[in-house]
Amino acid sequence: MSKLEIFEPPMCCSTGVCGSSADTELERVAAALENLRKAGIEVERHNLSSEPIIFMQNEEVANVLNQRGADALPLTVRNGEIVQSGRYPTNEEFSRLLGVALDTVKPATRVKVNKCGCDSKGCCS
């Protein structure tokens, strides 16, 4: 079974819903990682502002940070090996890195039938 770790830059939260507007990329990543967890893949997220010791305890991550600084973040680590830096993997890359179907990674989407977010059952969000 694969283990995936994301070493993230300093931020107030992992979902991107901390400020006045949500960060859609962080929302996508949060949803993808939750779906991977549900599929039985071990997933961990580490934030530099709240867990700096974990960054220093991982020799590869510490070396990258010392050489490239925080611009190297986020770092994606699969089974202890850095496989990507400087951006989050796309859903397709998560799928390929972990050997799972793309449908496993992508969140289920609601069908919107009008601007207010109502779905076919008439439930508004």
Side-chain angles (χ1 to χ4, degrees), residues 1-7 41-42 60 75-84 93-99:
M1 182 63 57
S2 292
K3 177 179 179 180
L4 185 75
E5 293 176 275
I6 307 286
F7 289 82
I41 294 170
E42 185 178 353
E60 281 190 65
L75 290 170
T76 303
V77 178
R78 181 190 62 206
N79 298 330
E81 178 185 345
I82 296 173
V83 293
Q84 187 167 324
E93 289 168 331
F94 278 129
S95 171
R96 199 171 37 254
L97 283 169
L98 297 166

Side-chain angles (χ1 to χ4, degrees), residues 12-72:
C12 63
C13 66
S14 60
T15 61
V17 189
C18 341
S20 60
S21 63
D23 182 327
T24 56
E25 178 66 353
L26 288 175
E27 288 177 333
R28 179 194 63 81
V29 170
L33 295 178
E34 181 59 27
N35 288 339
L36 291 169
R37 276 187 198 98
K38 288 177 183 176
I41 294 170
E42 185 178 353
V43 175
E44 294 180 11
R45 291 178 84 172
H46 307 291
N47 185 313
L48 183 57
S49 61
S50 59
E51 303 175 281
I53 292 175
I54 291 175
F55 284 68
M56 296 301 109
Q57 290 174 336
N58 183 309
E59 190 174 334
E60 281 190 65
V61 170
N63 286 339
V64 169
L65 284 176
N66 286 330
Q67 293 170 5
R68 296 179 43 208
D71 288 342

